[in-house]
């Protein structure tokens, strides 16, 4: 299997510090054929009907009970075979994120959010295609923003021909609030639903919108956000650098960190939760 993180990393890499304007813009399909193909499929196939179907399939959380640890270990079976010596496992990426948050002295719920933020990628182990699990997210059912990567690929989406979905607001009301908005289906929305009863609201926003770059990085889709969303997005933006910049560097030592995380997980979550 190809690197699951590649698509997210690609979007994320656009924002790394120290990039020249030219590098920042260098996300053409010629320069990144694999990524372009991923987004070609993602933008063509994430329709209103697809998102509705996946929400109905997964958000009732009927795939059984698992502890956070069981989910993390299950996710870890997603092996990136492109470079086993330097690439981090899924758990190691989660720990790098959460450890960077912890080092900066943030509250325990924030560290907890870092540790679970990508656990929704188990969708890809349930058999979902990568275009239906990872990558930057965007609202379906309204006009697409040019701030989404590869916006030209939206032309192939059947929704682009539905008049009702083509207006700025589409099926939504002005400043209706993001809770009423259906984003393209992926691991963010899934992990938000799995963990929402156990984490404080800023953490819920971090999990639910961490891949919604068009909004939290570019300020797009504000017409769908209410004042509460605007306030909560401060937290999403606070979380984002830990997801982006924590990769690389030292490999976290799970055996040493485990006691801290055992306590942390037990503080927020019951032994098992619904997935
Ligand atoms: Fe993610």
């Amino acid at each position: 299997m190809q690197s699951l993180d590649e698509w997210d990393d690609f979007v994320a890499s656009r924002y790394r510090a120290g990039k020249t304007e030219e590098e920042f813009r260098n996300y053409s399909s010629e320069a990144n054929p694999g990524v372009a193909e991923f987004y070609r499929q993602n933008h063509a196939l994430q329709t209103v009907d697809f998102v509705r179907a996946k929400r109905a399939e997964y958000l009732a959380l009927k795939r059984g009970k698992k502890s956070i640890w069981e989910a993390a270990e299950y996710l870890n079976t997603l092996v990136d075979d492109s470079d086993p010596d330097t690439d981090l496992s899924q758990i190691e990426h989660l720990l790098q994120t959460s450890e960077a948050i912890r080092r900066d002295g943030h509250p325990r719920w924030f560290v907890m959010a870092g540790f679970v933020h990508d656990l929704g990628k188990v969708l890809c182990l349930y058999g979902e295609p990568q275009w239906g699990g990872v990558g930057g997210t965007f609202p379906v059912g309204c006009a697409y923003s040019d701030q989404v990567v590869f916006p030209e690929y939206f032309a192939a989406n059947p929704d682009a021909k539905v008049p009702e979905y083509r207006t700025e607001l589409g099926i939504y009301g002005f400043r209706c609030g993001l809770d009423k908005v259906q984003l393209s289906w992926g691991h963010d929305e899934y992990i938000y639903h799995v963990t929402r009863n156990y984490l404080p609201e800023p953490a819920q926003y971090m999990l639910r919108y961490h891949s919604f770059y068009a909004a939290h990085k570019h300020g797009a889709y504000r017409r769908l956000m209410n004042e509460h969303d605007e306030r909560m997005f401060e937290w999403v933006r606070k979380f984002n650098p830990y997801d982006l910049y924590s990769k690389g560097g030292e490999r976290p030592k799970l055996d040493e960190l485990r006691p801290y995380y055992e306590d942390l997980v037990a503080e927020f979550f019951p032994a098992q939760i619904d997935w």
Side-chain angles (χ1 to χ4, degrees), residues 167-187:
T167 63
E168 291 284 286
L169 290 175
I171 58 177
Y172 310 111
F174 180 65
R175 307 215 81 185
C176 62
L178 287 180
D179 190 50
K180 294 199 173 69
V181 173
Q182 307 212 342
L183 297 188
S184 52
W185 174 250
H187 68 287

Side-chain angles (χ1 to χ4, degrees), residues 5 8 93-94 116-121 133-135 187-188 191 206-207 210-211 213 239 243 247:
D5 292 326
D8 290 346
H93 164 58
L94 291 173
V116 300
H117 81 278
D118 270 347
L119 287 184
K121 288 183 179 176
V134 295
H187 68 287
D188 306 53
I191 195 60
M206 291 170 181
L207 301 185
H210 74 271
S211 303
Y213 284 93
F239 173 77
D243 193 11
K247 287 184 186 176

Side-chain angles (χ1 to χ4, degrees), residues 104-142:
D104 282 353
H106 290 298
R108 288 168 71 85
W109 61 260
F110 197 156
V111 181
M112 190 74 265
F115 186 65
V116 300
H117 81 278
D118 270 347
L119 287 184
K121 288 183 179 176
V122 294
L123 283 173
C124 296
L125 289 164
Y126 299 162
E128 289 302 320
Q130 296 201 4
W131 59 262
V134 295
T137 56
F138 56 88
V140 296
C142 65

Side-chain angles (χ1 to χ4, degrees), residues 33-91:
V35 177
E37 176 56 20
F38 168 82
Y39 279 105
R40 192 187 62 72
Q41 293 181 30
N42 176 273
H43 291 0
L45 299 168
Q46 288 267 2
T47 60
V48 168
D49 288 346
F50 174 77
V51 173
R52 281 187 184 142
K54 290 300 159 188
R55 292 176 66 93
E57 182 177 351
Y58 288 114
L59 297 187
L61 307 182
K62 295 288 184 224
R63 296 198 62 106
K65 289 186 179 293
K66 270 195 185 71
S67 71
I68 292 291
W69 291 104
E70 285 165 337
E73 273 146 27
Y74 180 46
L75 183 64
N76 234 20
T77 64
L78 264 180
V79 178
D80 178 358
D81 57 12
S82 62
D83 189 349
D85 290 325
T86 58
D87 283 342
L88 294 173
S89 69
Q90 297 291 327
I91 287 184

Side-chain angles (χ1 to χ4, degrees), residues 205-218:
Y205 266 78
M206 291 170 181
L207 301 185
R208 195 176 196 182
Y209 300 112
H210 74 271
S211 303
F212 193 12
Y213 284 93
H216 70 69
K217 273 286 179 188
H218 298 288

